[in-house]
Amino acid sequence: MLQLQFIKERTEEVIERLKIKNVADIEQRISEILKLDEQRRALQQQSDAVKAEQNTIAKEVGMLFKQGKRDEAEVLKARTAELKAKEKELGEQSSAIEEELNAQLISLPNAPHISVPKGKSEADNVVVDEFGQKPELFEGALPHWDLCAKYDIVDFELGNKITGAGFPVYKGKGARLQRALINFFLNEAANAGYIEIQPPLMVNEASGLGTGQLPDKEGQMYTIPLDGLYLIPTAEVPITNIYRNVLLQSSDVFPIKHVGYSECFRREAGSYGKDVRGLNRLHEFSKVEIVVVEHPDRSYDMLEEMKAHVGSLLQKLQLPYHILKLCGGDISFTSAMTFDFEVWSAAQQRWLEVSSVSNFETFQSNRMKLRFKDSDGRTKLAHTLNGSALALPRIMAALLENNQTENGIRIPAALVPYMGCETID
RNA sequence: GGAAAGUUGGCGGAGUGGUCGAACGCGGCGGUCUUGAAAACCGUUGACCUUCACGGGUCCGGGGGUUCGAAUCCCUCACUUUCCGCCA
């Protein structure tokens, strides 16, 4: 969530930036927040004064008892009864207002960076970079779901039987390709200085709140009510939450760069049609995620560095891609700036999103209380960023389709050492 | 799953109703001494809210309660350790 202090000090800017996200009635919502904050502070001052008097009396009572002046002590005790009643009343008012204030703050999305383009939907996203050539496929080329069946490498029917739709079974060289991609992505990240993390695949409620999946996207996560746990929708959640309630003792630790592979679980309620065909959208999929904690002054440089890393992976896999700068209407609730990477799926003749790289500025760190001591001695909120590097199924879909030949599917050179073969046939 | 004991500041560890935001040690920072360093000695050293400021308030695992007053007593939850059970 946005920092109250930031809203107070730079009200106009916050409103302008939130307008990029098309937040309705934003002026009203902000002024309501500022009003609640004023009320809260006034109440707290009153309540603090009452508590101060109570503390003084309590000390006096103690001394009087020691001196044996019981009668005088009793008089003071009577006074505290009044104070207690008053404090209780003030406390109730104050916590009601605080609750309301908190609810309003937490329901307010992150303010997009001022350079984020305005727009209503994905149609308004801006292509900022392109790489590679769309391949010309031969006559009779197949979409990846047919290739999966032809070479018996991904079995959707078997997944339906064992679990349900969206839980495919990878077999033979299909399973091998998954493992190759995971290792390739992890090694590339390690070479780029990311420290590998293998996180739990289930998280508690506090972690869900920390990165913003809760309460916003509760319906998108699989839950285990009996134990109060959630299956992670991305490794971002457990990895970023490593730093929940952490006060870093120096700014020398930046940047903190992590990479983690995990299975990701998403209910994807409401999805249908061509979007969920084959590997396009699954309930369980593998993803390698990069997560960075960075100094506020350098987070946008880091965003560029992460973009470059993701781009290098796609180039090594020889997949044609473009980069979109998401517009205000398409950017996520928690993000200040997001770039989407889409690869060309030659048989489907469509772009598939394979990575989303975002800077959250202090939105997550404010919720998580992720702070650091800056060189000026002040305690500040760190910036968090993350990106997919990369999500497997759509990479696999594009690889299969783009590299198909009459004699099988060609494995890109960078993956051959991991696959142990040059073709799937 | 059953039983017991625990959870205190960056770390270790005192503290069973008031003078405790908390002894003491280590670590960190500043200084004296030294050509420099070490040792020794002296000083200093948590976070948060609020106030222009002085100041005030909150925090001893989380939440609730008893009391004029809670790190200390009670309830509850979480976690840790040990024993038993189960087990990749």
Side-chain angles (χ1 to χ4, degrees), chain A residues 39 121 140 177 189 194 232 284 301 327 339:
Chain A
Q39 292 173 355
S121 71
L177 180 56
Y194 292 87
I232 58 170
E284 176 178 343
D301 293 335
C327 74
F339 293 95

Side-chain angles (χ1 to χ4, degrees), chain A residues 114-152:
Chain A
I114 202 72
S115 75
V116 167
K118 293 193 177 172
K120 290 211 167 89
S121 71
E122 54 187 319
D124 300 313
N125 294 337
V126 178
V127 177
V128 292
D129 204 0
E130 284 184 85
F131 180 87
Q133 293 246 310
K134 295 178 183 174
E136 294 292 328
L137 295 185
F138 58 93
E139 189 77 23
L142 298 170
H144 71 267
W145 47 87
D146 288 335
L147 293 167
C148 288
K150 179 175 174 186
Y151 297 108
D152 194 22

Side-chain angles (χ1 to χ4, degrees), chain A residues 5 72 104 120 129 155 180 191 211 219 230 234 237 239 278 303 306 311 321 327 330 389 422:
Chain A
Q5 199 191 356
E72 289 179 43
Q104 297 224 15
K120 290 211 167 89
D129 204 0
D155 195 328
N191 291 340
T211 33
Y230 299 82
T234 160
V237 181
I239 294 178
L303 187 64
M306 293 164 76
Y321 68 91
C327 74
D330 201 28
E422 291 180 6

Side-chain angles (χ1 to χ4, degrees), chain A residues 13 44 52 75 140 144 165 170 207 223 344 418:
Chain A
E13 182 190 331
Q44 200 202 320
V75 174
H144 71 267
Y170 302 88
S207 294
T223 62
W344 182 250
Y418 295 90

Side-chain angles (χ1 to χ4, degrees), chain A residues 40-229:
Chain A
R40 197 205 98 239
R41 290 205 324 268
L43 280 168
Q44 200 202 320
Q45 280 174 46
Q46 290 178 48
S47 150
D48 280 0
V50 173
K51 278 180 183 163
E53 191 178 346
Q54 281 180 310
N55 287 343
T56 313
I57 290 179
K59 275 183 186 152
E60 284 173 22
V61 169
M63 295 213 299
L64 290 172
F65 268 122
K66 275 197 175 154
Q67 294 165 9
K69 297 177 181 169
R70 293 195 158 265
D71 295 346
E72 289 179 43
E74 290 303 326
V75 174
L76 284 178
K77 276 169 85 166
R79 168 73 179 146
T80 56
E82 288 171 42
L83 291 174
K84 266 190 147 171
K86 197 168 172 189
E87 195 216 321
K88 194 177 174 208
E89 193 192 320
L90 286 169
E92 276 165 8
Q93 285 179 34
S94 154
S95 56
I97 284 181
E98 203 161 322
E99 208 171 292
E100 175 61 23
L101 177 62
N102 209 39
Q104 297 224 15
L105 277 173
I106 213 155
S107 68
L108 205 62
N110 198 358
H113 189 274
I114 202 72
S115 75
V116 167
K118 293 193 177 172
K120 290 211 167 89
S121 71
E122 54 187 319
D124 300 313
N125 294 337
V126 178
V127 177
V128 292
D129 204 0
E130 284 184 85
F131 180 87
Q133 293 246 310
K134 295 178 183 174
E136 294 292 328
L137 295 185
F138 58 93
E139 189 77 23
L142 298 170
H144 71 267
W145 47 87
D146 288 335
L147 293 167
C148 288
K150 179 175 174 186
Y151 297 108
D152 194 22
I153 50 177
V154 183
D155 195 328
F156 295 97
E157 293 304 316
L158 198 49
N160 291 345
K161 171 186 169 184
I162 299 171
T163 306
F167 294 90
V169 177
Y170 302 88
K171 297 159 77 176
K173 284 187 175 173
R176 178 98 186 183
L177 180 56
Q178 287 274 310
R179 199 150 51 83
L181 284 167
I182 291 165
N183 281 329
F184 170 67
F185 293 147
L186 284 173
N187 286 354
E188 289 291 316
N191 291 340
Y194 292 87
I195 307 299
E196 185 172 344
I197 301 285
Q198 188 173 8
L201 303 185
M202 297 182 198
V203 293
N204 57 27
E205 188 180 1
S207 294
L209 287 167
T211 33
Q213 278 70 29
L214 293 174
D216 195 40
K217 295 185 189 160
E218 178 148 27
Q220 289 295 339
M221 285 196 285
Y222 288 98
T223 62
I224 297 117
L226 193 59
D227 299 292
L229 297 174

